[in-house]
Amino acid sequence: MLRERGQHEVFCGLAGIIWLHRKIQDAFFLIIGSRTCAHLMQSAAGVMIFAEPRFATAVLEEQDLAGLADAQDEIDRVVERLLERRPDIRLLFLVGSCPSEVIKIDLQRAALRLSKVHSARTRVVSYSGSGLETTFTQGEDACLAALVPDLPSAAADEAPDLLVVGTLPDVVEDQFGRLFAEMGIARTAFLPPRRSTALPAIGPKTRFLLAQPFLGDTARCLEARGARRLAAPFPFGVEGTTGWLAAAAQDFGVDDLTFRRVTAPGRERAARALERQRATLEGKRVFFFPESQLEIPLARFLVRELGMEAIEIGTPYLHRAHLAEELALLPDTALLSEGQDVDRQLDRCRAARPDLVVCGLGLANPLEAEGITTKWSIELVFSPIHGYEQAGDLAELFARPLLRRALLKV
Amino acid sequence: MRLTVWTYEGPPQVGAMRVATAMRGVHYVVHAPQGDSYADLLFTMIERRPGRPAVSYTSFQARDLGTDTAALFKTAAADAVARFQPEALLVGSSCTGELIQDDPGGLAKALGLSIPVIPLELPSYQRKENWGAAETFYRLVRTMAGPAAPAPGTPRPPRPAGQRPRCNLLGPTALGFRHRDDVQAVVALLGRMGVDVAVVAPLGASPADLARLGDADFNVVLYPEIADTAVRWLERSFGQPSVRTVPIGVGATRAFIAEVAAVAGVDPAPALAEESLRLPWWSRSVDSTYLTGKRVFIFGDATHAVAAARVATEEFGFEVVGLGTYAREYARELRACAGALGLEALITDDYLDVEAAIAEAHPDLVLGTQMERHIAKRLGVPCAVISAPVHVQDFPARTAPQMGFDGANVLFDTWVHPLMMGLEEHLLMMFRDDFEFHGDAAPSHLSAHRPAGEPAADPRDQVAPAATLDGSAAQSDPARTTPPGAPSWEDSAEKELRKVPFFVRGKARRNTERFAAERGLASISVETLYDAKAHFGR
């Protein structure tokens, strides 16, 4: 296990807004930050920014820094204007950034005050997506953790029995919902919900499954409210998905026969789909740069189900408890690295000459130009990759760059 | 605080990155939190550069805040120098670095490096990307060329007999709109006149190249937004004259050639007789007659907007109905140009203002940036891109300059293409009841954003009804919001209106409504439509 500190080539947590706002359909994300934050959102969101997205930046100006304008008054003014023009917003996130944190604008106080003012219509919640505090997907963790105190409390017979935590594409969410229902776990809810008016409740018996590996704070907040985490690997590939579903099945006393009957069709379909990609990926050596915390579960999937060899698995942050099941499955031949010194990591990568490098868009083309095949990693947080039905698609995401390299004759 | 979704320009450190990345042998160390490295992907993805930008970040995090960040900066700067071995080092802060008040200049100085260290003061909360690029370039030029400058007041020695005149091309950067091909076009143009190019900078130049900027006989300012500050200093320090005409369009290129010829004392004829120039004939050919008087709305950086206005009126025969820029630094130049066209300039960096102005002007063509491309798409108006910010498709593989005679050819194709497509669309629509062109026939490529089987007869009908940040989209078209008591259209008249060619249909609609309102008519019939046509056609 290597721990590094130096230059990081990663997104900050603000980038999480790009998929969170697609999921929670009546939420708006207002970043309190600088022109840099707005520019980041524009660059990261690409074409999506032209579809009138439900996010924006209140850009700090000179007078805000000089203390000439009271930050709290300014926030009130901006929010007032925003809600007037977007009356459909039911949940407003005030998202902290590096500048707003360094000058210590109290967004929590602003959220409390604005929640009172707009209580009839809009709930206002604050969290930090700054690069000082969060790396990429940790922005989702901070956002969901901020929502947990707002989840209603309910009696044991009203609250969901099982809560699935972490943003999943709707299609994946529906697949998991059906599988749990067939196993007899009827009351399953998802966090975040598709609409903020349907926040799942928490009861004394609520258990939760993490669908994503980057939800440390959210899990802690849920546990503080009495919910219990079910330890499981993450639902990537046949093995991960089966292990993840089994963790719930076991806890809910689903009998073995039922579990196998419910999961058999999915397992078989996924295994068939993976077989097709195995020809391309087997024996290939893969190197992960840190980005999303998905690296360890994905490496486990590639190594165990597709026969790849992992050289280095970089992760921005390693939550040992949440990843215990994953680490147990991972062969100990791979170098695990936490944090980053990007130039040193590039040296290791070049020396290893891997067949496939999973990295961000800032590194992908430069590595390709050096003759190293890459898979840009951001696609992995936007594409449906969880569960049985997506296992083949997930493998294909890694196979495609290798196939392409083989195809091109120029 | 200002509510912002789109930004035309990034923060000033992105401008500094554009200069550092354009050059060879320069490295930029930015005191910035983790996450600011997002800007790397502008260079590796949008411009498709095969190498990483010449930038290192300190990537400080919350746990580092306190005394630690200064040490972090020194380590990052020392590491960057050791690894990349630049000839000059730029150091500065991002917006957050600015707030924590470490002094990158002082800290880098304390390292005792053997190369020039150039501290950048880039006020992130007041200035923007282009200013950052201009300031960075100026600082680099001053540092590198400064020691070679003669004492103030020293007259410039005459060019030795027999030596060809030499100039510098200043302004092209990384992530510049068509900078790569513009340089190529202008170098070729100057070559035909017998003028050599000494240094192109920042694009492709090294600090050593900057040190010999003063050797050239004059400077050519390709992009004033980036080069102007540095060129003014070169004028003062070395007594170098500057060529300031930006050669975009046929007329401007001819003026540029004349200006260069005068400054360099050479014959303009060989350059003027460029045989590859096709725009003038293409524009005079009868096929182009339908371009006459087309209403065009222009928005972009000031240089490209002003150049486009001239090309549109003098070389395409368009009518400019709106002209604006997001670059406040160049508001004066743009106002003058707009004034000459009888227009009020639009100076704003708020895309909602631009959207409103475009909707108001009812143009037949929009020339703008990536943002205007999307606004035009929403309004169903043809559009071509003339200025940054642009997306990946406007860093093309083919050679596609904007400058010089080849650039003029490119402009003709680029601007006319969406209109031709518009005409094609219109013809398809006119014949849509024809047996070959029924409603279910495959749409042309422009219809991708329209629900299948629902031909939008009036382009303005495509205004997306979705709520916008300012809630204005649904009402962004004044002609569509019929005030109470205003004349309403009879079905037969509405149907007749659809037979009017779509590029004048908006005008016909407005004129008819005005005509009916002035006469207090409650409804508009086919008769009213033709009465109005006769009235306004006088």
Side-chain angles (χ1 to χ4, degrees):
Chain A
M1 177 79 198
L2 177 68
R3 276 202 187 77
E4 276 194 309
R5 166 174 162 167
Q7 178 179 332
H8 290 199
E9 184 79 26
V10 289
F11 279 122
C12 64
L14 294 180
I17 293 170
I18 292 160
W19 63 88
L20 280 165
H21 91 284
R22 303 302 308 165
K23 186 70 194 178
I24 317 177
Q25 292 160 17
D26 54 358
F28 194 100
F29 293 78
L30 179 64
I31 301 163
I32 315 295
S34 64
R35 175 170 299 279
T36 311
C37 306
H39 197 235
L40 154 80
M41 291 304 291
Q42 177 165 320
S43 311
V47 164
M48 201 190 280
I49 196 145
F50 299 106
E52 284 302 338
R54 280 172 285 104
F55 59 78
T57 309
V59 172
L60 294 166
E61 291 172 313
E62 194 75 347
Q63 54 166 7
D64 299 303
L65 302 184
L68 291 177
D70 181 84
Q72 300 288 336
D73 291 347
E74 284 290 293
I75 291 172
D76 286 1
R77 185 179 62 77
V78 170
V79 167
E80 192 74 35
R81 187 173 158 223
L82 180 69
L83 290 180
E84 208 170 88
R85 294 175 171 189
R86 295 295 298 263
D88 50 322
I89 301 304
R90 292 285 169 274
L91 174 61
L92 175 66
F93 288 102
L94 300 179
V95 188
S97 65
C98 303
S100 75
E101 264 167 40
V102 169
I103 63 172
K104 299 201 177 357
I105 297 180
D106 190 345
L107 292 184
Q108 220 164 0
R109 186 157 68 94
L112 277 174
R113 182 182 62 249
L114 286 163
S115 266
K116 280 200 196 104
V117 174
H118 300 283
S119 61
R121 211 179 61 192
T122 307
R123 187 200 306 266
V124 186
V125 176
S126 76
Y127 74 90
S128 167
S130 77
L132 295 170
E133 300 276 355
T134 58
T135 305
F136 198 31
T137 48
Q138 283 176 328
E140 172 171 339
D141 188 26
C143 171
L144 299 186
L147 270 185
V148 171
D150 283 5
L151 301 185
S153 301
D157 52 349
E158 283 166 15
D161 298 318
L162 179 64
L163 188 61
V164 177
V165 187
T167 299
L168 293 170
D170 289 355
V171 56
V172 178
E173 205 175 280
D174 293 343
Q175 288 165 10
F176 285 149
R178 282 198 298 272
L179 288 173
F180 287 128
E182 282 174 46
M183 284 184 222
I185 308 172
R187 288 186 309 190
T188 304
F190 293 85
L191 182 70
R194 293 182 199 186
R195 295 198 72 80
S196 71
T197 44
L199 284 180
I202 289 198
K205 287 205 285 191
T206 302
R207 281 147 280 182
F208 67 92
L209 265 180
L210 295 180
Q212 304 279 18
F214 44 74
L215 298 170
D217 281 351
T218 308
R220 198 170 41 72
C221 293
L222 285 166
E223 280 161 353
R225 291 205 49 187
R228 183 159 57 81
R229 181 177 72 91
L230 302 177
F234 292 91
F236 301 113
V238 178
E239 188 178 38
T241 306
T242 306
W244 188 75
L245 293 169
Q250 250 161 33
D251 205 81
F252 283 85
V254 178
D255 67 86
D256 204 39
L257 207 64
T258 307
F259 180 78
R260 270 191 281 171
R261 177 179 54 76
V262 171
T263 54
R267 273 183 296 161
E268 278 161 29
R269 278 196 297 269
R272 273 206 305 279
L274 290 180
E275 207 45 53
R276 279 199 296 280
Q277 309 298 341
R278 208 182 162 93
T280 317
L281 293 171
E282 191 163 27
K284 297 288 195 300
R285 300 158 72 242
V286 62
F287 190 111
F288 281 89
F289 277 79
E291 186 106 17
S292 61
Q293 298 184 47
L294 291 167
E295 295 83 7
I296 289 173
L298 292 177
R300 180 264 302 158
F301 162 69
L302 293 177
V303 168
R304 293 177 59 99
E305 298 190 35
L306 292 152
M308 293 184 82
E309 185 193 335
I311 301 170
E312 175 169 339
I313 309 169
T315 179
Y317 176 75
L318 176 60
H319 195 300
R320 291 217 161 257
H322 288 181
L323 283 156
E325 287 69 25
E326 292 287 348
L327 292 170
L329 291 171
L330 204 62
D332 50 13
T333 50
L335 172 67
L336 280 182
S337 63
E338 186 183 10
Q340 188 175 35
D341 182 327
V342 72
D343 288 312
R344 290 207 174 86
Q345 194 163 30
L346 280 167
D347 289 343
R348 291 199 298 276
C349 178
R350 289 180 184 119
R353 294 298 300 182
D355 297 300
L356 185 67
V357 174
V358 184
C359 62
L361 291 173
L363 298 179
N365 270 337
L367 283 172
E368 291 279 353
E370 292 179 27
I372 296 175
T373 309
T374 61
K375 165 70 220 135
W376 48 283
S377 52
I378 300 163
E379 199 176 5
L380 299 163
V381 298
F382 291 129
S383 311
I385 57 169
H386 295 71
Y388 292 130
E389 313 305 340
Q390 283 68 239
D393 304 341
L394 176 57
E396 208 216 329
L397 287 178
F398 296 98
R400 199 180 301 150
L402 291 167
L403 282 175
R404 182 165 184 78
R405 174 148 296 233
L407 275 173
L408 297 181
K409 303 297 178 215
V410 290
Chain B
M1 288 180 199
R2 241 186 79 189
L3 198 55
T4 307
V5 182
W6 298 356
T7 69
Y8 283 97
E9 290 184 72
Q13 83 259 17
V14 171
M17 287 177 72
R18 287 176 55 188
V19 171
T21 302
M23 291 184 65
R24 294 175 291 119
V26 173
H27 201 84
Y28 177 30
V29 180
V30 201
H31 205 19
Q34 159 181 269
D36 278 9
S37 60
Y38 81 89
D40 285 2
L41 68 88
L42 302 171
F43 299 90
T44 62
M45 297 305 292
I46 295 182
E47 200 181 8
R48 254 187 264 250
R49 282 191 168 254
R52 296 175 64 213
V55 183
S56 297
Y57 307 85
T58 52
S59 302
F60 58 82
Q61 289 177 274
R63 61 168 185 264
D64 304 316
L65 290 179
T67 55
D68 216 0
T69 51
L72 219 58
F73 182 85
K74 284 167 91 168
T75 313
D79 283 355
V81 171
R83 179 175 288 270
F84 300 104
Q85 308 203 322
E87 294 165 39
L89 187 72
L90 296 168
V91 297
S93 294
S94 76
C95 56
T96 307
E98 201 180 325
L99 296 173
I100 63 173
Q101 300 188 331
D102 288 332
D103 170 20
L107 292 169
K109 207 170 174 187
L111 291 174
L113 300 169
S114 55
I115 54 169
V117 174
I118 302 151
L120 298 175
E121 296 287 342
L122 305 175
S124 311
Y125 299 90
Q126 299 165 350
R127 305 292 193 162
K128 291 181 282 191
E129 179 177 332
N130 279 335
W131 189 90
E135 174 70 9
T136 304
F137 185 48
Y138 165 65
R139 291 283 158 202
L140 267 162
V141 167
R142 255 198 95 141
T143 306
M144 301 313 301
T154 313
R156 198 171 168 75
R159 190 168 75 235
Q163 187 185 303
R164 279 159 59 108
R166 287 184 307 166
C167 68
N168 302 311
L169 293 193
L170 302 179
T173 62
L175 216 62
F177 175 64
R178 305 296 165 87
H179 287 195
R180 177 196 69 192
D181 299 340
D182 282 349
V183 167
Q184 205 185 322
V186 173
V187 168
L189 193 64
L190 292 166
R192 278 195 296 278
M193 302 173 73
V195 175
D196 291 333
V197 173
V199 177
V200 178
L203 193 63
S206 69
D209 292 333
L210 297 187
R212 52 189 185 82
L213 282 174
D215 298 347
D217 299 304
F218 63 100
N219 292 309
V220 171
V221 185
L222 283 192
Y223 306 101
E225 282 87 349
I226 290 145
D228 191 60
T229 324
V231 167
R232 280 179 199 285
W233 180 81
L234 288 169
E235 281 170 7
R236 286 197 305 276
S237 306
F238 291 95
Q240 287 170 315
S242 308
V243 171
R244 290 186 172 273
T245 304
V246 178
I248 298 178
V250 179
T253 301
R254 286 181 181 145
F256 171 83
I257 291 168
E259 194 180 344
V260 169
V263 170
V266 296
D267 178 13
L272 287 170
E274 175 50 62
E275 285 173 4
S276 73
L277 173 61
R278 296 187 193 92
L279 181 145
W281 167 240
W282 252 242
S283 207
R284 280 172 198 281
S285 76
V286 291
D287 189 52
S288 300
T289 312
Y290 84 104
L291 299 175
T292 314
K294 280 222 179 297
R295 300 161 55 80
V296 54
F297 188 99
I298 300 172
F299 195 85
D301 68 29
T303 301
H304 285 88
V306 168
R310 176 172 180 185
V311 174
T313 49
E314 296 179 5
E315 300 174 24
F316 281 70
F318 290 159
E319 181 194 352
V320 177
V321 294
L323 181 63
T325 184
Y326 55 81
R328 281 179 197 284
E329 293 92 337
Y330 288 83
R332 181 193 295 257
E333 285 84 343
L334 196 102
R335 281 207 182 89
C337 177
L341 292 164
L343 295 167
E344 174 132 15
L346 176 68
I347 314 291
T348 180
D349 59 358
D350 186 338
Y351 74 98
L352 291 172
D353 293 348
V354 181
E355 185 171 89
I358 293 178
E360 173 80 12
H362 288 284
D364 303 311
L365 176 68
V366 174
L367 301 174
T369 72
Q370 181 72 8
M371 280 71 170
E372 283 69 48
R373 205 164 68 81
H374 285 267
I375 290 170
K377 188 170 170 188
R378 164 173 302 198
L379 297 175
V381 182
C383 177
V385 170
I386 57 157
S387 159
V390 293
H391 207 53
V392 62
Q393 69 268 39
D394 275 302
F395 287 92
R398 69 180 186 284
T399 305
Q402 304 286 287
M403 292 185 179
F405 292 141
D406 279 337
N409 295 338
V410 169
L411 293 184
F412 187 87
D413 291 345
T414 312
W415 296 8
V416 169
H417 181 81
L419 289 172
M420 282 302 290
M421 293 299 114
L423 193 63
E424 206 172 272
E425 176 97 346
H426 172 63
L427 292 174
L428 283 174
M429 212 98 74
M430 288 225 316
F431 296 121
R432 74 179 182 279
D433 295 329
D434 215 278
F435 70 99
E436 280 176 305
F437 299 104
H438 57 83
D440 296 333
S444 88
H445 77 283
L446 271 184
S447 305
H449 55 292
R450 186 184 310 147
E454 187 190 307
D458 185 329
R460 293 175 307 146
D461 289 345
Q462 292 167 31
V463 173
T468 64
L469 194 55
D470 72 343
S472 69
Q475 292 142 24
S476 61
D477 183 349
R480 303 299 290 168
T481 49
T482 320
S488 65
W489 287 77
E490 287 175 14
D491 283 351
S492 56
E494 185 82 49
K495 220 170 160 183
E496 195 72 11
L497 180 68
R498 301 202 174 235
K499 296 174 189 166
V500 173
F502 79 96
F503 43 86
V504 290
R505 197 179 301 146
K507 199 166 142 195
R509 179 187 288 277
R510 266 172 299 143
N511 283 351
T512 311
E513 284 170 0
R514 204 171 101 204
F515 179 83
E518 278 168 13
R519 279 152 192 77
L521 302 176
S523 66
I524 295 170
S525 66
V526 176
E527 287 300 309
T528 324
L529 181 66
Y530 286 115
D531 285 345
K533 183 171 187 287
H535 176 77
F536 286 106
R538 280 179 313 193

